[in-house]
Amino acid sequence: EIKDPQGRILPILGTVKEGVKSWMEAGTERPKAWSTETWEIYNDTADAHPVHLHGGHFQIVNRQGFTADKDKKNALSNVKMLGAATQPNAYEKTWKDTVIAYPGQVTRINVKFENAGLFVWHCHILEHEDHDMMRPLLVQ
């Protein structure tokens, strides 16, 4: 987990290969309008995060435990899946715009993007939103 100069944990999003990214950095997610993508949301923190997407809706595919090494930028390497993937709960088997990403798990979702524009995806915990646990999302 990344800490600020006062030692507080900073909830932040990023990519597996590039590590943490701030809200002010260019968006790394650039899907095409009227496309469907499978996203993998890796949660390597100790907390569950309700991840919310604007500009798209999705269905949960599954969740699976994982282990990984992290570098100084929190980029993941040597990712290893643990056990079998689990299916979504009965109440999760519908179109969604928010999914709970559990600690130590990768959450896979199939996202439909219908409208072009600049959107955002973020953790829906208010304190995490306030501390930039969000990323721009450019639907082309």
Side-chain angles (χ1 to χ4, degrees), residues 43-106:
N43 183 352
D44 66 344
T45 73
D47 299 316
H49 297 279
V51 176
H52 177 67
L53 273 70
H54 294 252
H57 57 283
F58 56 84
Q59 291 182 310
I60 302 167
V61 176
N62 60 37
R63 294 180 176 95
Q64 190 170 9
F66 75 95
T67 62
D69 297 327
K70 287 193 283 190
D71 65 16
K72 290 181 183 179
K73 292 179 120 183
N74 270 9
L76 301 181
S77 61
N78 299 317
V79 177
K80 293 182 178 65
M81 294 298 133
L82 303 174
T86 59
Q87 298 303 303
N89 296 303
Y91 62 86
E92 295 178 308
K93 293 184 179 183
T94 186
W95 289 100
K96 315 277 289 169
D97 66 3
T98 304
V99 63
I100 297 178
Y102 292 105
Q105 291 187 349
V106 56

Side-chain angles (χ1 to χ4, degrees), residues 118-137:
L118 182 59
F119 301 98
V120 62
W121 69 283
H122 59 93
C123 178
H124 230 299
I125 296 172
L126 186 57
E127 183 179 64
H128 292 185
E129 287 182 57
D130 288 347
H131 289 95
D132 292 341
M133 190 175 181
M134 59 177 65
R135 296 285 299 137
L137 166 62

